[in-house]
Amino acid sequence: MGEIRDGARIGAWAVVGVLGLAVLYVVGAFAFGGAMWITAPFRGEVDKRENTVASGEFRQTTYEEFFDLCEAVQNAEGTIQVLQEERKAASETRTTQIDQSITALKATRIESVNDYNSKAAQEHRAPFHDKDLPYRLDVGAERTTCTN
């Protein structure tokens, strides 16, 4: 009888031990999983910043992108001016073609100005905006200067 009682006691301790380990595992999973869930927004922001702002390629590309956008605006303005000069001596058929081209170039210029201004306003791009470039470009301006 004593052996059965000792065996039952050992069995009960084994069951309690297994249940205790299971409870400990569940509590640990919730504790660490909860900590990861709570810090997810912070970790996500750090990862995003490290993958973009801290990237040398991103910084260089962004810096050059502002110059490219400003230059695109100036190129459209220059082409519009050349077409307007040509229009003065053009035939009626050519005048119609020139007017269509000017309209398309004005739309392209507006898109480039809006793209430039949108990117200049983005907080993560602002540090890479060259000091000699204007902060914003004016859609209504006839001529754009890409240096201050």
Side-chain angles (χ1 to χ4, degrees):
M1 210 32 129
E3 289 178 26
I4 294 176
R5 198 174 278 190
D6 287 338
R9 191 175 301 143
I10 291 173
W13 280 110
V15 169
V16 168
V18 169
L19 288 175
L21 285 175
V23 168
L24 185 62
Y25 175 77
V26 170
V27 169
F30 278 113
F32 290 109
M36 291 184 73
W37 179 76
I38 290 169
T39 63
F42 171 74
R43 287 182 292 112
E45 287 297 316
V46 169
D47 288 346
K48 184 173 83 175
R49 185 174 57 245
E50 291 300 317
N51 289 334
T52 57
V53 178
S55 162
E57 184 178 339
F58 174 82
R59 290 193 308 263
Q60 184 67 31
T61 301
T62 301
Y63 179 80
E64 292 171 357
E65 188 173 31
F66 283 113
F67 282 102
D68 292 345
L69 288 169
C70 196
E71 183 180 3
V73 172
Q74 286 183 318
N75 289 341
E77 291 169 352
T79 305
I80 290 169
Q81 185 177 9
V82 167
L83 287 171
Q84 287 171 338
E85 289 296 318
E86 181 186 344
R87 188 179 190 282
K88 293 176 186 174
S91 67
E92 189 176 326
T93 305
R94 181 65 183 138
T95 300
T96 303
Q97 293 171 340
I98 290 171
D99 289 343
Q100 291 171 346
S101 294
I102 289 173
T103 300
L105 284 165
K106 285 181 178 180
T108 299
R109 181 191 175 281
I110 290 170
E111 288 175 12
S112 295
V113 167
N114 289 339
D115 196 19
Y116 181 98
N117 291 342
S118 170
K119 290 182 178 178
Q122 293 173 354
E123 188 176 319
H124 69 285
R125 291 180 189 269
F128 313 114
H129 187 265
D130 189 87
K131 66 178 178 60
D132 290 332
L133 290 174
Y135 175 69
R136 294 183 57 80
L137 299 179
D138 184 7
V139 172
E142 197 169 307
R143 301 297 289 160
T144 300
T145 304
C146 290
T147 56
N148 282 332

